[in-house]
Amino acid sequence: MPPSFDLFKRTPADLLSSSKFTSLLTLLTALILSVLFLVETISFFTPLTTTTAHLDFSPTITTLRLNFNLTFPELDCTFISLDVTDVLGTNSKNITQSVDKYSIDDTGKKHKYKGRQHLPNNEVLHDHDVNGENNRHGTIEELLVDGEHASAVAGAEGLAKILEEREYVFMDFYAPWCSWCQRLEPTWERFAEEIESSRSDLRTIADVDENGKKRSQFEKIAVAKFDCVDSMHVCGEQGIVAFPTLRLFHFGEKWGGDFKGDRTLEGFRTHLNQAYNAIQSAKEEFKSYPGQPQKSQANLNLKFKTGHKNLARISQVNSDWHAADHSGCEISGYLKVNRYVPGTFFIEASSKFQDMIPSMQNVSHTVNHFSVGTPLTRSKKKKLEKVPNNYKRTNNLDGQSFITTELHTSHHHNLDLVHTNFERKKSYLLGMINYDDSIFFTQYLTQSQLIHQDQEEVVEARFTYDLSPISISLKMGCKPWYDYLTTLSALIGGTFSVFKMLTTWMKHTF
């Protein structure tokens, strides 16, 4: 090959010379190259995240799944209703198909499974004819001809007095405008008359049953009613949120849960018999404990209320018993809503057989979990943990509590949803990039606000959602090896060229 064709010509060694200045520049060049090499190497091994936005179009997927787990410490599971509406007119009431309810105690611990179909198809019977119009015991005017037998209690002092005077008090907390209360009134008056007609000192509900066996007996029973419209603050202290509320007191203390059975004479008799049998059994068991001194009636009742064995017996006898006399509820499940249609789901208190008091509802809640989309498998969740936190917003509400301390207030949440497709680079082969299986998940941004509502409005925990038409593609991986080598070559050549030009300039200048 001709000597003139040489891209790497060399200068003879005897023509080269060195100096302290050029040696210093050489050391500086080596230092800069080392720093650049270190930085580029760190960059090569650091995952690189890139995002792109595009139109979210999935014609085969028409529904969106909303997963939730919420705790309402001040709402009874009996009253909780979950409804869904959207801008296209969808209006689903009291959804129960995919929703589980658990009553909770005052510490937030689950106490009893309340089921999925707790309200919709259950019927509460009344003492009316087949058309549900006329009470079998007559009108309230006819029953009051010989006087009023259901004691009308007024004010806090009146309530305290009757609870102190009678061992058993079966109380009807009502409102005159309540339609269900009006329907119950003749039966309640007839029941009070039946109790009053028994022997004065020992009141008996049906001395013997159909088999001639002696039934349970009750001492000092009072059947009474309390007008909550006249003394709303007293009913508020009692935790009354719906009318009518039928509650049994024993020695001034609430026994079990509020009565939820049939509003008939037989239903009331059965409830009182169950209460009497359970309380008497608890008293006998307490007396049979070895070494236990004899206690007063009030102390026996206290033992009945706090003893674990007795609580277990009450739970079996009375299906509406709540631990620690607390009425909280935890609901969990999922909803399937229209995918591209903004909508709202909300939780409120409602009842099929009671009239609710809008101003007395408290929808304070804790969001234990809220997510959108089909739950991810454990392996996909583990891969998703590698995504930097500033690129994902999937559990913004988890663990947050929204407490209201005033009446007519509730928290509303607005959720902006964004579908996201996450892909992670797996390997590189001759410049071809391979990715792991895609992980589809939905991110959301949320804003919550405390809303003050009118007195007649039903307070509700409201969640408004809106899916963005733009989806995000999120790709994560290191630089390709050929990019790394190319960058290193450019750094070496560029740094050397810069310092070579600097040396030449300084040589000719100085």
Side-chain angles (χ1 to χ4, degrees):
M1 181 177 294
S4 59
F5 185 76
D6 189 354
L7 297 178
F8 302 98
K9 296 179 180 180
R10 295 180 296 173
T11 303
D14 54 352
L15 297 180
L16 298 176
S17 62
S18 61
S19 64
K20 293 182 178 180
F21 177 71
T22 55
S23 299
L24 181 61
L25 285 179
T26 301
L27 292 176
L28 183 59
T29 302
L31 177 62
I32 293 177
L33 282 175
S34 300
V35 173
L36 292 176
F37 175 78
L38 178 62
V39 172
E40 182 61 27
T41 302
I42 294 175
S43 176
F44 174 71
F45 287 104
T46 301
L48 179 65
T49 303
T50 59
T51 58
T52 57
H54 55 84
L55 185 65
D56 182 21
F57 182 67
S58 302
T60 59
I61 304 177
T62 59
T63 59
L64 184 68
R65 174 169 168 155
L66 306 177
N67 313 295
F68 58 88
N69 185 299
L70 310 171
T71 297
F72 291 84
E74 299 296 335
L75 278 186
D76 194 304
C77 288
T78 306
F79 298 133
I80 282 186
S81 174
L82 191 152
D83 308 333
V84 176
T85 63
D86 64 29
V87 298
L88 288 184
T90 299
N91 189 5
S92 301
K93 295 287 188 179
N94 197 17
I95 298 175
T96 58
Q97 183 176 1
S98 56
V99 179
D100 292 325
K101 300 178 182 179
Y102 295 86
S103 63
I104 59 173
D105 60 20
D106 53 350
T107 64
K109 183 179 179 180
K110 292 181 182 179
H111 176 65
K112 184 183 294 183
Y113 178 65
K114 305 299 290 188
R116 288 188 172 180
Q117 301 289 344
H118 190 65
L119 282 178
N121 298 320
N122 290 351
E123 294 292 335
V124 174
L125 299 180
H126 293 75
D127 276 337
H128 285 68
D129 57 24
V130 292
N131 296 322
E133 297 178 355
N134 302 315
N135 194 289
R136 296 172 182 172
H137 308 298
T139 65
I140 186 63
E141 291 77 11
E142 295 172 346
L143 291 170
L144 293 179
V145 171
D146 58 345
E148 188 175 32
H149 300 86
S151 304
V153 181
E157 294 182 359
L159 180 61
K161 181 179 179 181
I162 193 171
L163 293 181
E164 181 180 357
E165 291 178 348
R166 299 297 182 94
E167 179 178 350
Y168 296 91
V169 177
F170 205 2
M171 184 70 71
D172 171 20
F173 293 92
Y174 75 100
W177 51 261
C178 166
S179 60
W180 292 106
C181 301
Q182 297 168 7
R183 191 173 186 180
L184 169 67
E185 189 175 12
T187 303
W188 194 250
E189 176 63 22
R190 180 67 185 89
F191 181 61
E193 183 178 352
E194 180 179 286
I195 294 295
E196 190 173 306
S197 64
S198 301
R199 295 188 299 272
S200 58
D201 295 331
L202 185 61
R203 310 209 181 274
T204 307
I205 298 181
D207 291 337
V208 294
D209 59 18
E210 61 274 13
N211 298 321
K213 184 178 180 180
K214 190 174 181 180
R215 286 185 171 180
S216 301
Q217 295 178 334
F218 293 82
E219 299 177 356
K220 298 182 179 179
I221 301 174
V223 176
K225 56 186 179 181
F226 191 93
D227 188 346
C228 286
V229 173
D230 291 340
S231 304
M232 182 62 73
H233 66 286
V234 178
C235 292
E237 293 174 355
Q238 290 290 327
I240 306 301
V241 297
F243 300 130
T245 294
L246 305 179
R247 181 172 296 176
L248 178 62
F249 293 90
H250 180 243
F251 282 120
E253 299 291 339
K254 176 182 175 182
W255 184 86
D258 294 334
F259 179 72
K260 299 292 194 306
D262 293 336
R263 296 169 190 168
T264 62
L265 291 181
E266 184 59 33
F268 298 149
R269 294 171 187 147
T270 300
H271 184 64
L272 289 180
N273 276 311
Q274 289 179 345
Y276 181 82
N277 290 335
I279 292 173
Q280 294 303 315
S281 297
K283 292 177 181 178
E284 294 300 324
E285 184 173 342
F286 177 77
K287 292 178 180 179
S288 65
Y289 291 156
Q292 288 286 351
Q294 294 296 320
K295 302 289 183 180
S296 65
Q297 186 68 29
N299 289 335
L300 286 174
N301 187 47
L302 179 63
K303 178 64 181 179
F304 159 72
K305 290 167 54 184
T306 57
H308 294 294
K309 293 182 178 180
N310 297 328
L311 281 176
R313 176 177 288 107
I314 292 301
S315 297
Q316 296 174 0
V317 174
N318 187 349
S319 60
D320 295 315
W321 176 265
H322 292 154
D325 197 23
H326 206 78
S327 58
C329 187
E330 177 182 309
I331 64 172
S332 62
Y334 65 89
L335 300 172
K336 286 192 175 182
V337 297
N338 293 327
R339 180 182 175 92
Y340 297 108
V341 182
T344 300
F345 77 91
F346 47 91
I347 295 94
E348 63 181 6
S350 67
S351 176
K352 189 176 180 180
F353 302 105
Q354 290 174 287
D355 289 332
M356 306 304 297
I357 314 172
S359 61
M360 297 301 294
Q361 311 304 320
N362 187 335
V363 292
S364 298
H365 56 279
T366 296
V367 182
N368 304 311
H369 174 73
F370 183 86
S371 62
V372 184
T374 303
L376 300 176
T377 62
R378 182 177 300 179
S379 61
K380 289 186 175 181
K381 286 182 180 179
K382 189 173 182 181
K383 292 178 180 178
L384 199 60
E385 291 176 355
K386 299 177 181 178
V387 179
N389 291 331
N390 57 326
Y391 285 96
K392 61 181 179 181
R393 297 287 188 275
T394 55
N395 301 306
N396 298 340
L397 288 174
D398 288 14
Q400 295 192 43
S401 296
F402 302 90
I403 307 301
T404 59
T405 58
E406 301 178 3
L407 296 177
H408 322 302
T409 59
S410 61
H411 284 89
H412 291 188
H413 312 279
N414 185 71
L415 310 173
D416 293 315
L417 314 179
V418 181
H419 281 322
T420 304
N421 179 27
F422 172 63
E423 295 177 312
R424 182 176 176 83
K425 294 178 181 178
K426 184 178 181 181
S427 62
Y428 314 94
L429 179 62
L430 298 178
M432 300 300 293
I433 303 177
N434 296 328
Y435 290 92
D436 283 329
D437 293 335
S438 297
I439 301 177
F440 293 93
F441 65 99
T442 302
Q443 306 185 74
Y444 65 90
L445 298 176
T446 179
Q447 182 174 356
S448 303
Q449 185 174 358
L450 182 64
I451 303 297
H452 294 265
Q453 299 177 262
D454 293 336
Q455 184 173 357
E456 299 304 322
E457 289 183 322
V458 177
V459 294
E460 58 195 18
R462 179 181 291 264
F463 296 79
T464 301
Y465 55 88
D466 188 5
L467 178 63
S468 172
I470 302 299
S471 64
I472 303 297
S473 291
L474 182 63
K475 296 183 179 180
M476 187 175 176
C478 298
K479 291 182 178 180
W481 60 268
Y482 52 83
D483 278 357
Y484 175 66
L485 294 180
T486 302
T487 303
L488 286 182
S489 300
L491 289 175
I492 295 173
T495 304
F496 181 80
S497 298
V498 169
F499 277 91
K500 184 67 175 178
M501 290 187 293
L502 178 62
T503 303
T504 302
W505 175 76
M506 296 183 68
K507 178 178 180 182
H508 288 85
T509 302
F510 302 101

